[in-house]
Amino acid sequence: MVTTLPSIPSSESVHLHHFKRRGHDDSSGLSPVGTDDSDEADEYETKAPSGAWRRQLSPCSVFSAASSGRLYAEPAQTLIFLDWDDTIFPCTEIFTTRNYTRRSREWTPLPPDLDEELSAWRQAAGDFLQAACAISDRCVILTNSRPPWVSACIDHFAPNLKEILAKNGPVRVVYASEMMKKSKSKSDEISEKAEGVIIKMLQSLGCFHGFVSKMVESMAAMRQNAPKPHFDLTEAKFKAMRKEAESFYSQYQGQTWKNIISLGDMAYEHDAAKSLSSTRVAVSQPRERLRTKSVVLLQSPSLHGLTLQLRIWSQLLPICVRFDGDIDLYIESSCTPFTELAKALQVPSLARVKVPAVYTQPDMGVKTYVTADEERAADELLDNLPILLHEAVLGPPRETFVKAR
C-alpha cells in the first residue's frame, strides 16, 4: 500500500491578499511572481491579467523586489517539456514486446490481460501529469511523432487521460515534426531546382534520354525513402521548444526566462534543451538567469519500469522545480539512478534509495515478470521517498557530499 503524504509546504505559500488583510496595503514595493527586479515587477503589475496577484508569493518578495528572482519555481515561471513514447506512453512494451500493431487504423479492442496490466500504468501516468500541471502553468508533451499519434494512443490505451490532454486542457501536445515542414519544403525546393538544372543540361546533349529518365526516377525515390537524420529530430525539438518558451515567457513586457525542465528517454530532447539554454545566453537580458534541468530517463523501459518511473517522478518533480541551478543528467543506463539524482539535486539522502534491478532493465522484447519481493521493494521505495523529500525540504541538511581528494 503506497502512503500518500501531504504536498511539501513551499516557502512561496504566502498570498498577497493575506498580507493586505494584515495591513500591508502598500504594494509599491512588492514584486510579482517570478520577476527578477523592480522594473519587471512594475511592468507586470500593469500588464498582468485579473487575478494574477493571487499567485503564490515568497515572503522575501514582500520585503525586497530585488530578491524576487527567487520565485523562479512558481508555476507562472516554470516551463516543462515531456517526451511521449517511452517517457509517458509504454511504446516499446506494447508494440515490440506484445507485438501489437503500430498502425492505429488496425487497432482492435485490447486483449483482457493487456488491458488489466495497463491499469496501474494509466493511474501512474494520470498522477504524473497532474503533478506536472500543479507546478507549471505550461506543461508540453513534445513528440517527434506525426499527428494525431498522441491522441490516438490516449483514445485506445488510456481514455482516463482524455480530460487532462483535451484541446483546452492543462497539457499541450506539440508535434515537433510540424516545425520542420516549412524549412524542409524550402530545402527540397532548392534540391529540386538543382536537379532540374542538371537534367536540362543532360537533355540538351540529346544522347542520354534513357539515362536521364532513370536518374529522375532514382532521385525521386531517394528523396522519398531517405532516412531522417538524428540532427533533424533534435533540431525539430529545439525549434518547438524555442517557440513555446518565447510564447510562455512573454506574459508581460520584460519577463525573463527562468525555469525550464525537460524529461525524455532519448538524447533529442536533452540536446535540444541544452541548445535552447546556450543560445539564449547570447540574446538574454543581463539580469536574466535561466535554470535548465534536462534529464534522460530509462530507454525502452518495461511496463513495470515505466509505471514505477512515473510514480517516482510524480514525487521528484516538485523538488526538481525548486532546485536553484542547472541539471544535466543521464540516468538511462544507470544501475543506481538515485545516486545520480542525489548528486544532481544535492539531496544526499536520496542516494540511500534502492530501485529493484528488474525495474531499471531495458525492455529486450521479452515480457518482464516482477516477483512479490520485488513488488514489495518498489512499494517500500514509494512509501519512503516522500518522507526523504520532506526531510530534505523542511529539515536542516544533516549530510553533504564530500569531494574526494
Side-chain angles (χ1 to χ4, degrees), residues 20-318:
K20 288 186 175 181
R21 285 207 301 264
R22 295 181 181 181
H24 298 270
D25 294 327
D26 182 11
S27 62
S28 60
L30 299 181
S31 175
V33 173
T35 56
D36 291 323
D37 57 19
S38 56
D39 294 335
E40 187 175 343
D42 294 340
E43 188 63 35
Y44 183 77
E45 184 175 2
T46 59
K47 298 292 185 180
S50 175
W53 279 106
R54 290 186 178 272
R55 276 286 178 198
Q56 292 182 336
L57 297 176
S58 169
C60 67
S61 65
V62 177
F63 303 108
S64 171
S67 64
S68 60
R70 298 181 185 180
L71 300 180
Y72 62 89
E74 289 291 331
Q77 306 296 338
T78 299
L79 175 59
I80 298 179
F81 292 107
L82 304 169
D83 184 39
W84 175 248
D85 289 332
D86 282 339
T87 298
I88 299 176
F89 179 69
C91 181
T92 298
E93 175 78 23
I94 291 176
F95 302 120
T96 301
T97 304
R98 306 300 180 96
N99 295 316
Y100 204 81
T101 178
R102 291 177 180 267
R103 298 177 181 178
S104 58
R105 295 179 180 179
E106 300 177 9
W107 285 350
T108 57
L110 294 175
D113 58 336
L114 177 58
D115 187 53
E116 182 179 355
E117 290 182 47
L118 289 175
S119 60
W121 162 76
R122 293 188 187 108
Q123 182 63 46
D127 293 344
F128 171 75
L129 291 174
Q130 291 285 359
C133 292
I135 57 178
S136 171
D137 279 356
R138 182 167 298 186
C139 181
V140 180
I141 290 179
L142 182 59
T143 176
N144 276 322
S145 302
R146 296 180 180 178
W149 176 247
V150 175
S151 58
C153 291
I154 292 170
D155 290 343
H156 194 74
F157 298 98
N160 64 306
L161 302 181
K162 284 184 179 180
E163 183 176 354
I164 195 171
L165 287 169
K167 185 175 182 180
N168 296 319
V171 178
R172 297 163 62 93
V173 178
V174 175
Y175 293 92
S177 57
E178 296 295 296
M179 300 297 299
M180 298 298 292
K181 281 188 174 180
K182 292 183 179 180
S183 59
K184 278 299 176 183
S185 62
K186 291 180 181 178
S187 176
D188 290 342
E189 184 179 348
I190 294 174
S191 298
E192 289 172 5
K193 285 183 178 180
E195 292 170 8
V197 171
I198 296 174
I199 291 171
K200 286 182 179 180
M201 181 183 68
L202 292 173
Q203 288 176 335
S204 65
L205 298 177
C207 56
F208 296 100
H209 179 71
F211 172 75
V212 171
S213 298
K214 290 184 179 180
M215 188 176 70
V216 170
E217 293 176 1
S218 298
M219 286 181 173
M222 288 174 61
R223 283 196 301 270
Q224 184 176 0
N225 301 321
K228 206 169 188 179
H230 170 84
F231 68 84
D232 274 358
L233 298 178
T234 302
E235 183 183 0
K237 289 213 167 186
F238 166 74
K239 289 185 175 182
M241 285 182 176
R242 183 176 59 188
K243 181 178 179 181
E244 289 296 318
E246 289 173 347
S247 171
F248 181 68
Y249 289 113
S250 60
Q251 300 172 60
Y252 50 90
Q253 186 173 352
Q255 184 182 15
T256 57
W257 295 21
K258 298 178 182 68
N259 203 18
I260 296 179
I261 297 174
S262 172
L263 299 180
D265 67 310
M266 299 292 286
Y268 307 133
E269 48 272 357
H270 175 273
D271 293 346
K274 301 302 291 183
S275 297
L276 183 68
S277 177
S278 60
T279 55
R280 179 64 185 172
V281 173
V283 298
S284 63
Q285 305 174 43
R287 61 188 171 84
E288 179 172 297
R289 183 188 170 199
L290 173 59
R291 301 153 185 86
T292 305
K293 298 141 186 186
S294 184
V295 182
V296 180
L297 304 172
L298 297 176
Q299 288 188 5
S300 304
S302 65
L303 179 60
H304 299 290
L306 179 59
T307 302
L308 180 61
Q309 180 172 263
L310 289 169
R311 288 175 173 168
I312 288 173
W313 275 94
S314 294
Q315 298 287 346
L316 290 178
L317 272 177

